[in-house]
Structure formats: C-alpha cells, structure tokens
C-alpha cells in the first residue's frame, strides 16, 4: 500500500522541512506565515491531514527548511539553466513537476522570491513554498522525485556562484527605475536578460 500524504508530510518533517497542507490550486489550507519561521509539530501535521487527507504537501522554503528552490516551468527553461550554469557532474535533489522541474539548493541568503527570475524560472526562498511529491495539480498530474535525486539520497548542492550572481543581477535590474539607461534600452525586457545569445553581454553590463 502506498504511503498516505500524511505519512509523506511526517517524513518531510523528519528530514528537517517545514511543511504545510495546500489545495490543488497551490493555495494554503492554513494560515501558513508562522511556518516560515518555525516547523510544525507532528501533532499539527496529523491534525491537518486528518481534516484534509488528500491535501497536497508544500515545503516552505528559506532558512526554516534550509533550502531554496529554482522552479523551471518547462524543459526549455531547465535546459537553458543546465547549459549555462550547471556542470556535467552537477547533482542536487530534483523533482519533476507537471510542466518542468524543481531544483533544490542549500539555502543561501541574498535572494528573494521572484517570478521569471530568468526566462521560464522562478525563485522560491524565504516567504515562498513549493509543492512536493506526491502532490498533484488540478489535472491530477503528480509531482515525483527523479531516481537518485531524492533528498534522502543525495545532499543539497550549494548554489553555483555564477547562477547565484546572475539571479541577483536580474533582481537588481527588475528593481531598477524604468527610465532608460545606457546599458538597458527601453525595449529590453528584464525577463529576457541572461538568455541564449545575450547572456555574456548582459553580465558585462
């Protein structure tokens, strides 16, 4: 018999993650902000999943769980990250999502939650969370860990320095005033920065 979602949630808690119950649309079923700073108790998890046995499992990112997640929303987005920033031997816990994949990294301060940090990718750190296997989306498509890349099989990788610096640079561009500058022309979309064909030039600027 397959483990229940409650059993998975308790297992994630034992692994050091802060976990919360979510609906199929990724909305939290509880007031989840306190669990950005402290992990739930086993009794809380049992209560939540007794009331909502089919609830999805979300892992709260940031220091409370010791992880950050790079959410690649398509195979193309992952291929772009993999080609430019990850070595041939790079490995870190990775889950398959309905459309792409989640790459789990050891938490490192200096990043903020960003949508489309690099084209097709989101960052989830303190103040964010991600659905974890065996959660399912609204179309009943499950999340699952890639073989050999489960968090109880390999350690969380450190953020590669160049990838981390790029994500910080993109965030700085997105926070910058919208007025034109010599380095970023008005027609430049910040979300297109650091993509194929322009990465080196964008890093220079």
């Amino acid at each position: 018999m397959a483990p229940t979602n409650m059993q998975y949630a308790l297992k994630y808690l034992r692994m050091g993650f802060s976990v919360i119950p979510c609906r199929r649309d990724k909305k939290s079923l509880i007031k989840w902000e306190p669990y950005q700073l402290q992990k739930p108790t086993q009794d809380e998890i049992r209560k939540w999943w007794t009331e909502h046995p089919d609830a999805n499992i979300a892992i709260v990112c940031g220091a409370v769980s010791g992880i950050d997640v790079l959410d690649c929303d398509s195979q193309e987005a992952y291929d772009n990250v993999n080609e430019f920033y990850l070595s041939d031997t790079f490995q870190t816990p990775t889950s398959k999502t309905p459309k792409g994949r989640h790459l789990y990294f050891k938490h490192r301060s200096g990043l903020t939650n960003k949508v489309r940090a690099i084209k097709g990718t989101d960052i989830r750190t303190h103040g964010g969370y991600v659905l974890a296997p065996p959660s399912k989306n609204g179309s009943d498509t499950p999340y699952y860990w890639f073989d050999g890349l489960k968090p109880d099989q390999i350690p969380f990788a450190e953020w590669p320095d160049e990838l981390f610096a790029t994500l910080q640079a993109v965030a700085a561009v997105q926070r910058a005033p919208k007025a034109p500058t010599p380095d970023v022309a008005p027609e430049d979309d910040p979300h297109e920065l650091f993509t194929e064909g322009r990465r080196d030039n964008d890093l220079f600027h």
Side-chain angles (χ1 to χ4, degrees), residues 54-109:
D54 295 326
N56 278 333
I57 305 161
I59 294 176
V60 181
C61 300
V64 68
S65 293
I67 55 100
D68 304 315
V69 175
L70 187 66
D71 178 2
C72 300
D73 65 13
S74 67
Q75 184 63 38
E76 179 184 7
Y78 169 73
D79 289 343
N80 181 52
V81 170
N82 186 55
E83 179 179 0
F84 291 117
Y85 300 105
L86 306 181
S87 69
D88 293 340
T89 59
F90 179 84
Q91 285 192 323
T92 198
T94 304
S95 67
K96 180 70 178 71
T97 68
K99 294 183 179 180
R101 62 183 73 192
H102 286 160
L103 279 68
Y104 287 67
F105 294 91
K106 186 179 295 185
H107 173 64
R108 179 175 173 183
S109 60

Side-chain angles (χ1 to χ4, degrees), residues 17-136:
F17 296 136
S18 180
V19 294
I20 58 171
C22 285
R23 306 185 317 209
R24 291 290 181 93
D25 63 1
K26 302 183 182 180
K27 298 291 181 63
S28 174
L29 284 162
I30 62 166
K31 181 176 174 60
W32 73 281
E33 286 78 7
Y35 303 100
Q36 297 177 29
L37 301 175
Q38 64 184 36
K39 299 179 181 68
T41 65
Q42 292 188 15
D43 286 344
E44 285 177 311
I45 288 177
R46 291 190 177 97
K47 178 178 182 293
W48 295 336
W49 269 274
T50 296
E51 295 173 352
H52 308 282
D54 295 326
N56 278 333
I57 305 161
I59 294 176
V60 181
C61 300
V64 68
S65 293
I67 55 100
D68 304 315
V69 175
L70 187 66
D71 178 2
C72 300
D73 65 13
S74 67
Q75 184 63 38
E76 179 184 7
Y78 169 73
D79 289 343
N80 181 52
V81 170
N82 186 55
E83 179 179 0
F84 291 117
Y85 300 105
L86 306 181
S87 69
D88 293 340
T89 59
F90 179 84
Q91 285 192 323
T92 198
T94 304
S95 67
K96 180 70 178 71
T97 68
K99 294 183 179 180
R101 62 183 73 192
H102 286 160
L103 279 68
Y104 287 67
F105 294 91
K106 186 179 295 185
H107 173 64
R108 179 175 173 183
S109 60
L111 296 177
T112 56
N113 290 294
K114 287 290 180 184
V115 176
R116 292 187 69 196
I118 300 175
K119 185 176 182 181
T121 67
D122 302 338
I123 303 170
R124 293 290 176 257
T125 183
H126 179 75
Y129 59 78
V130 293
L131 294 188
S135 298
K136 297 180 180 180

